[in-house]
Amino acid sequence: MRRKLVVGNWKMHGSRAAIAELLAGLQRQLPPLSGTDVAICPPFVYLAWVSERMPEKVVLGAQNVACETQGAFTGEVAAPMLQDMGCHYVIVGHSERRSLFGETDAQVSRKVELALKHGLTPIVCVGETLAQREAGETLAVIGAQLDAVRGFNGIVVAYEPVWAIGTGRTATPDQAQEVHAFIRGRLDVTETQILYGGSVKADNAAELFTRPDIDGALVGGASLNADEFAAICRAAE
Ligand code: PGA
């Protein structure tokens, strides 16, 4: 039986004041959890500060990792550093990284390799654009993104249709389930947790989680609100 996993991706949001309020809200509102793991991924600069103020039972993750482990790579943050600061997870290949910063499948593969080597669990994001979906290319696109990380054990996969991220337009539970089942078949590993991401909110999470291959959520906007995020965690549990 796979555990559920709910991950908050804070993206480039927050200040110490706003984060302190969010953490206090999570501490108050997260339900007792037995079958669900919860992680939060703050911006790099706040990792250390957040790690000293973590709500009970929540673990820390980062939003990106470098393709190298040390050296002259100005502005980059390496996997051993994330491990050193207490990170458990790292998001790799988010569609914003792919589309805005030109991240390639080869880089995603390298990041996954380094994350695993340094004790981090990579959350590998895959997903199609609206044009790709409308052209009937969804499974081909996702298959190619997955091929870059085949053979690695111990990853989490997040299916995030690009057209659903930050748009308020969620994939229907059936649309998501279809892709999740495809991903599971392609990976050949039944224990891999496959998360759905893209406008997950308190009011659509429960139905998504009823589908057999949806093992949790990668949550952007709604993870900045303690009520919403706690409600999504309750739905997973
Ligand atoms: P969203 O973002 O929940 O704001 O759509 C999800 C993500 O990009 O991980």
Side-chain angles (χ1 to χ4, degrees):
M1 177 81 181
R2 291 183 300 273
R3 291 176 64 76
K4 290 275 196 286
L5 172 62
V6 178
V7 180
N9 173 11
W10 294 0
K11 307 193 179 183
M12 198 172 72
H13 294 288
S15 61
R16 278 182 294 180
I19 292 171
E21 204 175 306
L22 178 55
L23 294 175
L26 292 176
Q27 177 65 47
R28 271 195 314 274
Q29 297 187 55
L30 281 174
L33 299 165
S34 58
T36 305
D37 299 317
V38 177
I40 50 177
C41 302
F44 282 140
V45 71
Y46 293 116
L47 283 173
W49 197 81
V50 171
S51 78
E52 288 163 9
R53 293 166 177 78
M54 289 295 278
E56 277 159 60
K57 290 194 233 151
V58 178
V59 301
L60 196 60
Q63 299 175 16
N64 186 24
V65 63
C67 288
E68 304 290 338
T69 53
Q70 63 166 351
F73 301 100
T74 302
E76 292 292 289
V77 178
M81 297 172 180
L82 297 178
Q83 185 187 39
D84 192 29
M85 294 312 293
C87 287
H88 188 94
Y89 293 100
V90 60
I91 298 169
V92 177
H94 189 280
S95 73
E96 287 151 17
R97 302 277 341 150
R98 293 179 191 261
S99 68
L100 302 173
F101 302 97
E103 206 160 292
T104 63
D105 283 336
Q107 288 170 323
V108 169
S109 170
R110 174 76 175 146
K111 289 177 180 200
V112 167
E113 178 192 344
L114 290 176
L116 288 169
K117 187 167 167 202
H118 294 281
L120 302 163
T121 299
I123 300 170
V124 181
C125 301
V126 297
E128 81 288 3
T129 63
L130 188 58
Q132 289 165 336
R133 175 163 281 267
E134 285 171 348
E137 294 166 3
T138 299
L139 300 183
V141 167
I142 287 162
Q145 290 170 338
L146 281 178
D147 284 348
V149 297
R150 259 182 115 164
F152 290 116
N153 279 323
I155 66 170
V156 171
V157 175
Y159 168 53
E160 298 205 305
V162 176
W163 47 271
I165 296 177
T167 58
R169 185 173 165 196
T170 327
T172 65
D174 289 340
Q175 279 175 325
Q177 167 58 30
E178 183 196 1
V179 177
H180 281 229
F182 168 79
I183 293 171
R184 196 172 305 291
R186 187 89 167 199
L187 283 175
D188 237 15
V189 187
T190 48
E191 314 89 75
T192 304
Q193 288 168 308
I194 306 175
L195 314 183
Y196 169 77
S199 299
V200 176
K201 305 273 185 285
D203 62 9
N204 59 26
E207 211 200 329
L208 285 161
F209 297 154
T210 61
R211 297 305 192 267
D213 290 299
I214 301 183
D215 303 316
L218 179 54
V219 185
S223 72
L224 299 170
N225 178 308
D227 293 353
E228 282 274 327
F229 191 66
I232 294 166
C233 295
R234 250 193 311 279
E237 180 73 5

